[in-house]
Every structure is written in C-alpha cells, then in structure tokens.
Amino acid sequence: MSRTHSLSRRSLLKRMVLGASLAPLAAVLARRAEAAPATLVSAGSPEGKAVQYTEDAKTARTAQAGSTCANCALYQGASGSTQGPCQIFPGKEVKAAGWCSAWAVQM
Ligand code: SF4
C-alpha cells in the first residue's frame, strides 16, 4: 500500500468518525429548529407600522368589515389556525385575527 493511499484512507476514516460523532448534534439542532415557535410580527415594530398591522382587525379604523389575516390572500396559516406565516413578513407569523393595509382578497 502506498503512503498516499494510506493517508487518504486515514483522512477518510477521520472524516467518517467526525461525521458520525456530529450526526446526533445535527439531529438535535434540527428538532429544535422545527419546534421553535416563529416570531410574531409586532404592531409596534417598523415593519408592522409600515403597513398599519394590528393583532386585532376590529381595532383597525381603515379595515373593511370582516377582513382579517385569516381571509387574506397573503396569509399562509392553516385553516382554523390562530396564527400563521404571511407573505409580506418572511420568517414571521401574524395573528389570524389581525389585519394590515396590505390585506388582499382571496381569489
Ligand atoms: Fe394579515 Fe394579509 Fe396583512 Fe399579512 S398581508 S398581515 S395576512 S392582512
């Protein structure tokens, strides 16, 4: 067996051991990421203020009666959910009972 071949085999074995030892850690981190609740958009945040977001559509003076995040075309929460993702706030969630000035009718 040549020295080069031996070194690359040793290197491969080291990588396999390292990968095997890190696999449980990666699994734990992935589970935590899935379990972590998404951040809710705050009405007082700059992004919330920019579109007059409120967690309660009844408090929005300019909202059309009956319009809420739950029946907005941009809402991505499951039917019946109390909160869910919104297309204009990537990585964050909004209250289903909320509303903002970007509300769009569902087609
Ligand atoms: Fe709610 Fe629609 Fe505004 Fe998103 S775009 S915050 S779902 S009203």
Side-chain angles (χ1 to χ4, degrees):
M1 184 181 315
S2 73
R3 181 175 161 78
T4 310
H5 183 73
S6 176
L7 284 176
S8 67
R9 190 155 87 185
R10 184 177 299 146
S11 175
L12 177 64
L13 284 171
K14 280 183 183 176
R15 288 181 186 176
M16 287 173 63
V17 169
L18 180 63
S21 64
L22 292 178
L25 175 63
V28 168
L29 291 175
R31 260 184 259 132
R32 279 193 185 165
E34 287 173 11
T39 305
L40 270 174
V41 173
S42 166
S45 67
E47 61 190 349
K49 284 181 179 175
V51 290
Q52 301 166 0
Y53 173 73
T54 175
E55 291 186 352
D56 183 0
K58 292 175 194 152
T59 65
R61 280 181 275 149
T62 55
Q64 206 174 31
S67 61
T68 65
C69 291
N71 59 25
C72 172
L74 303 174
Y75 185 67
Q76 298 178 314
S79 178
S81 60
T82 58
Q83 66 185 56
C86 165
Q87 291 180 35
I88 67 167
F89 298 116
K92 295 191 176 181
E93 293 194 348
V94 296
K95 291 284 190 182
W99 179 88
C100 87
S101 60
W103 183 89
V105 68
Q106 292 176 335
M107 300 286 173

